[in-house]
């Protein structure tokens, strides 16, 4: 169903009249009054100066940067991935307008699941507060989670037994909704049982407060996995939500700062002690969707992860993603204790101090690297690696100031640093692997040899490589010929069915008579592909850098070249960071 054939115009107008578009959009985008309208950073494209306008009187938004425009309905459709009907239902609920019942194409799936989740939350919560929940409440109490927090976060307890909740709520549901709700599992012999059994339940809410999923924690003894989470459902996509964002958004907006912690209990304790700008990324590593969610409300984010090394590693992984959105990233350090321990032991002031003293990301990274690098050689390598990890920064001014700082702190020259990070891609492949390249065969020829010999690698090559990846015309021709002959199921002999001529035939003969590289050929192929791609990108980066130094450039040409360079550096970091070839877009 679309807006056009939903004929009850009156209802739509009624909802439009009742809902303030500024208020609605403010839930997810920080808006400031500017003249007769409101302005903020566009949620549809990445920008640093606000060009996203919201007009309360007209009930419309428009971005002068990317051109997106619409009303309250399209806003939810676009930002929450809802259909028009889902947006209509959501907004009708918000406006307190009742909708006539009608048949819609999605069968009201979203609404059915949200309603089921709500009744599940109530069921689990009642159970926790009953005498069944004595032990669980004691467990939570020991971790500082009191009745007030249980209520605020809607915590619950899934009962012991295989299908207690199913018998209560699932039986009356349409089987197709049962399946996608994520709360039940199908028995092998038919029938259903509960996903969550005998676990403390943490409801996960979206930014509007809808219960979209659950996390369940073991508390009696370690019988199974410590945590079980809802699978993805029509209302829940992993990595798109931040735990407690619905409770934290106001304060995050007010402070223009979000604090990220690791788990449910960290969040709950922080809120208990008044730090309600705290959210968690729900166990998974921070995703770019989550960062986007924050960057619409705040300009700064503090990573307050556990003191152990896993926590630190998580902090560093998260940082690169955060930097891409141009956020001011800080890292809070906790010696010996994690945030929850600190608060539990009554050390609130130390928690506050840690947040206040949170190091700027780059400072944090430099300090850690300097700690471990003992001599000038190690420092040079560390500086170079750090710089290559910064190639995801798209702001060229920021990037060049960072290069300057890194050079100073590591005691190396800026020029040397830039040259090294741009041109030397080889260290990513171990020396031993390089030596496996057979005499007289460089990386490109080895790739061709492997493709010639192994049909499987031929297919990989067809997928991962392009003729342009090869440096010489004749090699490109041979590559294309191998792919084409392979595709037609022809044998790899002679001139490949006349596809190769002239010096191409000589090259083919040379390759055919060479030895096959030894070792894990799949791994070699993947490494060689990476090298070839990096060589090509490095050559382009080099051209770009040389051109940028020409004095005759106009401002426009400079901007174009800088853009091109930024793109290349980003592409390079994608290739460098891809675990195996195929993970990066080719
Ligand atoms: Zn925009």
């Amino acid at each position: 169903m679309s807006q056009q054939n939903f004929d009850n115009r009156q209802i739509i107008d009624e909802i439009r009249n009742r809902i303030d578009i500024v208020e609605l959009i403010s839930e997810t985008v920080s808006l400031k009054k500017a003249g007769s309208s409101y302005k903020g950073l566009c949620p549809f494209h990445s920008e640093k100066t606000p060009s996203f306008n919201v007009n309360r009187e007209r009930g419309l938004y428009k971005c002068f940067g990317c051109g997106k425009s619409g009303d309250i309905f399209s806003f939810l459709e676009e930002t929450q991935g809802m259909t028009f009907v889902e947006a209509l239902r959501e907004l009708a609920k918000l406006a307190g307008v009742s909708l006539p019942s009608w048949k819609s194409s999605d069968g009201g799936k979203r609404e059915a699941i949200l309603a089921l989740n709500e009744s599940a939350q109530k069921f689990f919560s009642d159970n926790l507060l009953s005498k069944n929940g004595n032990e669980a409440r004691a467990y939570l109490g020991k971790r500082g989670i009191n009745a007030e927090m249980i209520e605020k976060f809607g915590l619950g307890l899934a009962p012991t037994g295989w299908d207690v909740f199913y018998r209560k709520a699932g039986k009356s549901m349409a089987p197709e909704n049962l399946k996608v709700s994520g709360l039940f599992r199908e028995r092998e012999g038919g029938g259903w049982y509960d996903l969550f059994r005998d676990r403390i339940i943490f409801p996960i809410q979206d930014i509007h407060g809808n219960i979209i999923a659950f996390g369940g924690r073991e508390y009696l003894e370690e019988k199974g996995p410590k945590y079980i989470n809802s699978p993805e459902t029509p209302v829940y996509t992993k990595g798109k939500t931040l735990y407690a964002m619905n409770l934290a958004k106001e304060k995050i907006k007010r402070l223009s700062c979000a604090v990220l912690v690791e788990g449910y209990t960290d969040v709950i304790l922080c809120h208990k002690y008044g730090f309600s700008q705290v959210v968690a990324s729900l166990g998974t590593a921070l995703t770019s969707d989550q960062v986007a969610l924050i960057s619409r409300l705040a300009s700064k984010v503090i990573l307050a992860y556990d003191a152990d090394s896993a926590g630190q590693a998580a902090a560093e992984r998260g940082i690169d993603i955060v930097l891409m959105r141009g956020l001011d990233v800080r890292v809070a350090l906790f010696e010996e204790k994690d945030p929850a321990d600190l608060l539990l032991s009554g050390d609130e002031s130390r928690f506050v101090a840690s947040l206040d003293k949170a190091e700027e990301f780059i400072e944090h990274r430099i300090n850690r690297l300097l700690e471990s690098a003992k001599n000038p050689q190690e420092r040079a390598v560390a500086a170079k690696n750090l710089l290559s990890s910064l190639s995801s920064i798209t702001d060229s001014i920021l990037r060049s100031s960072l290069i300057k700082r890194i050079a100073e702190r590591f005691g190396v020259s800026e020029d040397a640093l830039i040259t090294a990070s741009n041109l030397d891609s080889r260290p990513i492949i171990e020396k031993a692997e390089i030596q496996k390249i057979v005499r007289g065969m460089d990386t490109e020829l080895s790739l061709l040899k492997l493709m010639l010999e192994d049909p499987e690698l031929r297919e990989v090559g067809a997928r991962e490589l392009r003729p342009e990846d090869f440096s010489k015309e004749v090699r490109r021709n041979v590559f294309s010929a191998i792919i084409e002959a392979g595709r037609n199921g022809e044998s790899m002999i002679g001139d490949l069915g006349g596809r190769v001529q002239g010096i191409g035939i000589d090259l083919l003969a040379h390759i055919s008579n060479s030895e096959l590289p030894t070792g894990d050929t799949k791994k070699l192929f993947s490494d060689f592909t990476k090298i070839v791609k990096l060589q090509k990108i490095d050559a382009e980066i080099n051209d770009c850098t040389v051109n940028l130094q020409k004095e005759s450039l106009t401002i426009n040409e400079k901007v174009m070249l800088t853009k091109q360079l930024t793109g290349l550096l980003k592409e390079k970091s994608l290739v460098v960071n891809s675990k195996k070839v195929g993970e990066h877009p080719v």
Side-chain angles (χ1 to χ4, degrees):
M1 169 174 298
S2 69
Q3 184 160 357
Q4 282 69 38
N5 60 31
F6 180 76
D7 49 9
N8 217 329
R9 285 263 129 214
Q10 248 182 318
I11 290 185
I12 291 182
D13 287 343
E14 178 67 25
I15 294 172
R16 266 214 195 92
N17 288 337
R18 286 203 198 181
I19 288 181
D20 177 358
I21 189 168
V22 172
E23 219 171 273
L24 178 79
I25 293 181
S26 290
E27 296 231 310
T28 50
V29 179
S30 185
L31 295 174
K32 286 205 171 68
K33 195 154 173 38
S36 61
S37 64
Y38 289 78
K39 262 188 157 183
L41 293 175
C42 178
F44 304 109
H45 82 281
S46 188
E47 62 176 3
K48 284 203 159 164
T49 40
S51 44
F52 180 73
N53 277 258
V54 184
N55 189 307
R56 175 177 277 146
E57 282 65 46
R58 300 176 59 205
L60 297 172
Y61 61 85
K62 175 160 180 73
C63 173
F64 294 102
C66 66
K68 282 256 185 205
S69 62
D71 60 8
I72 49 174
F73 297 99
S74 62
F75 186 77
L76 286 194
E77 286 175 59
E78 299 269 359
T79 59
Q80 313 280 314
M82 293 181 182
T83 64
F84 172 71
V85 171
E86 287 166 358
L88 181 68
R89 287 191 166 121
E90 180 81 26
L91 291 169
K93 203 170 78 186
L94 214 62
V97 171
S98 59
L99 293 175
S101 55
W102 75 84
K103 277 266 173 230
S104 70
S105 55
D106 71 348
K109 198 160 269 177
R110 184 185 153 85
E111 201 172 56
I113 294 174
L114 288 179
L116 178 70
N117 285 348
E118 214 163 290
S119 71
Q121 188 273 327
K122 173 130 194 0
F123 175 77
F124 294 142
S125 158
D126 288 347
N127 191 44
L128 178 63
L129 298 178
S130 77
K131 69 174 186 340
N132 296 337
N134 287 349
E135 259 179 292
R137 271 180 283 127
Y139 172 91
L140 289 168
K142 245 186 265 163
R143 279 152 189 78
I145 299 175
N146 58 13
E148 190 193 341
M149 289 301 116
I150 288 177
E151 153 111 50
K152 184 169 186 180
F153 286 86
L155 305 190
L157 175 67
T160 323
W162 281 92
D163 55 2
V164 185
F165 181 62
Y166 171 72
R167 276 186 279 114
K168 177 171 166 57
K171 270 185 156 171
S172 55
M173 282 188 78
E176 68 269 20
N177 286 345
L178 215 54
K179 196 165 198 155
V180 296
S181 73
L183 280 165
F184 309 107
R185 280 182 176 165
E186 214 162 354
R187 285 186 204 274
E188 266 179 42
W192 301 83
Y193 64 94
D194 296 342
L195 172 66
F196 296 106
R197 302 178 308 277
D198 218 1
R199 284 171 180 272
I200 291 176
I201 298 293
F202 299 85
I204 297 165
Q205 289 168 280
D206 67 12
I207 198 162
H208 307 292
N210 295 309
I211 298 167
I212 53 174
F214 298 93
R217 194 196 195 291
E218 280 275 343
Y219 73 102
L220 288 177
E221 50 185 314
E222 309 286 313
K223 282 184 295 195
K226 200 158 128 191
Y227 282 100
I228 287 185
N229 291 305
S230 295
E232 298 209 337
T233 69
V235 303
Y236 176 57
T237 311
K238 283 185 180 156
K240 282 209 159 172
T241 314
L242 286 161
Y243 182 62
M245 195 55 162
N246 57 314
L247 299 171
K249 64 189 173 196
E250 289 307 327
K251 188 144 183 204
I252 289 177
K253 234 188 306 179
R254 189 147 41 81
L255 302 176
S256 192
C257 174
V259 176
L260 268 167
V261 295
E262 267 172 285
Y264 302 110
T265 47
D266 293 318
V267 170
I268 296 174
L269 276 179
C270 287
H271 280 242
K272 179 182 169 190
Y273 287 93
F275 304 101
S276 51
Q277 71 275 39
V278 173
V279 292
S281 55
L282 293 172
T284 55
L286 200 57
T287 69
S288 50
D289 281 328
Q290 291 169 331
V291 173
L293 203 60
I294 295 173
S295 72
R296 281 177 216 147
L297 296 176
S299 58
K300 180 169 148 186
V301 59
I302 301 175
L303 306 181
Y305 290 168
D306 293 358
D308 63 46
S309 51
Q312 286 305 326
E316 299 203 347
R317 266 203 311 279
I319 280 170
D320 291 337
I321 297 171
V322 178
L323 272 174
M324 280 181 171
R325 302 289 302 200
L327 281 168
D328 174 6
V329 192
R330 311 263 159 159
V331 180
L333 296 177
F334 298 95
E335 293 148 28
E336 83 243 48
K337 286 176 175 173
D338 62 25
D341 292 337
L342 219 49
L343 291 172
L344 260 183
S345 61
D347 243 345
E348 258 177 271
S349 58
R350 262 177 75 197
F351 181 73
V352 176
S354 296
L355 292 186
D356 285 345
K357 280 192 313 205
E359 283 179 335
E360 203 189 330
F361 142 74
I362 189 71
E363 207 55 38
H364 171 73
R365 189 70 80 84
I366 290 174
N367 288 340
R368 291 180 68 80
L369 286 171
L370 280 178
E371 273 166 30
S372 54
K374 293 284 171 266
N375 55 46
Q377 283 79 13
E378 281 180 26
R379 275 203 294 281
V381 171
K384 200 176 71 189
N385 290 342
L386 177 56
L387 193 61
S388 78
S389 79
L390 295 180
S391 55
S392 58
I393 296 176
T394 45
D395 183 333
S396 55
I397 298 172
L398 174 64
R399 193 165 184 276
S400 62
S401 84
L402 286 175
I403 291 176
K404 191 160 185 234
R405 211 152 131 199
I406 295 168
E408 272 171 22
R409 293 290 305 278
F410 284 88
V412 290
S413 87
E414 263 178 74
D415 286 346
L417 198 53
I418 294 170
T419 314
S421 77
N422 282 346
L423 300 179
D424 186 7
S425 303
R426 290 218 152 192
I428 59 151
I429 314 291
E430 291 118 3
K431 265 215 178 92
E433 298 292 342
I434 297 280
Q435 282 160 358
K436 284 187 193 145
I437 299 176
V438 176
R439 194 185 298 273
M441 298 274 285
D442 61 19
T443 325
E444 292 180 12
L445 294 183
S446 300
L447 278 172
L448 293 175
K449 171 79 179 173
L450 286 164
M451 286 173 65
L452 207 56
E453 302 287 344
D454 185 337
E456 213 175 294
L457 292 178
R458 207 142 57 222
E459 274 181 38
V460 178
R463 235 178 13 245
E464 305 290 353
L465 289 162
R466 298 283 170 278
E468 314 83 77
D469 291 326
F470 292 82
S471 59
K472 296 192 178 100
E473 171 99 31
V474 58
R475 294 177 176 197
R476 286 176 212 144
N477 292 342
V478 169
F479 169 78
S480 301
I482 293 175
I483 297 286
E484 208 183 309
R487 203 170 278 144
N488 292 332
E490 294 170 25
S491 63
M492 296 287 138
I493 47 164
D495 59 0
L496 295 176
R499 289 185 178 87
V500 179
Q501 283 110 31
I503 50 168
I505 297 178
D506 295 338
L507 182 68
L508 256 181
H510 171 64
I511 299 171
S512 300
N513 294 329
S514 301
E515 279 176 57
L516 192 69
T518 53
D520 178 354
T521 51
K522 276 196 193 117
K523 166 128 187 9
L524 281 177
F525 193 86
S526 169
D527 287 346
F528 291 168
T529 303
K530 211 164 171 174
I531 294 178
V532 163
K533 285 189 181 293
L534 286 172
Q535 280 170 347
K536 181 168 168 272
I537 297 173
D538 281 339
E540 286 174 34
I541 288 175
N542 203 21
D543 288 349
C544 221
T545 317
V546 169
N547 284 332
L548 260 172
Q549 275 148 10
K550 287 184 185 151
E551 295 202 14
S552 57
L553 290 180
T554 65
I555 291 191
N556 271 342
E557 286 168 333
K558 246 188 192 157
V559 170
M560 290 281 290
L561 280 168
T562 310
K563 259 195 185 151
Q564 198 188 341
L565 184 60
T566 312
L568 286 166
L569 289 167
K570 202 168 170 182
E571 202 187 332
K572 178 173 171 178
S573 97
L574 280 177
V575 176
V576 170
N577 294 324
S578 65
K579 279 197 197 61
K580 63 180 209 304
V581 175
E583 286 183 1
H584 61 87
V586 178

Short mmCIF file of all heavy atoms in Angstrom, two decimals, residues 42 45 63 66, ligand 1:
data_model
loop_
_atom_site.label_atom_id
_atom_site.label_comp_id
_atom_site.label_asym_id
_atom_site.label_seq_id
_atom_site.Cartn_x
_atom_site.Cartn_y
_atom_site.Cartn_z
N CYS A 42 22.75 17.04 8.02
CA CYS A 42 21.86 16.19 7.23
C CYS A 42 22.03 14.71 7.59
O CYS A 42 23.15 14.20 7.61
CB CYS A 42 22.13 16.39 5.75
SG CYS A 42 21.11 15.35 4.71
N HIS A 45 23.26 12.68 4.13
CA HIS A 45 24.61 12.69 3.57
C HIS A 45 25.57 13.21 4.62
O HIS A 45 25.15 13.80 5.61
CB HIS A 45 24.66 13.50 2.26
CG HIS A 45 24.80 14.99 2.43
ND1 HIS A 45 23.73 15.81 2.75
CD2 HIS A 45 25.88 15.79 2.35
CE1 HIS A 45 24.15 17.06 2.83
NE2 HIS A 45 25.45 17.09 2.59
N CYS A 63 17.06 19.26 2.45
CA CYS A 63 18.50 19.43 2.56
C CYS A 63 19.00 20.15 1.33
O CYS A 63 18.75 19.72 0.21
CB CYS A 63 19.21 18.08 2.69
SG CYS A 63 21.00 18.26 2.61
N CYS A 66 22.13 17.77 -0.37
CA CYS A 66 21.91 16.60 -1.22
C CYS A 66 20.53 16.61 -1.87
O CYS A 66 20.23 15.75 -2.69
CB CYS A 66 22.11 15.31 -0.43
SG CYS A 66 20.89 15.05 0.87
ZN1 LIG B 1 21.70 16.12 2.74
#
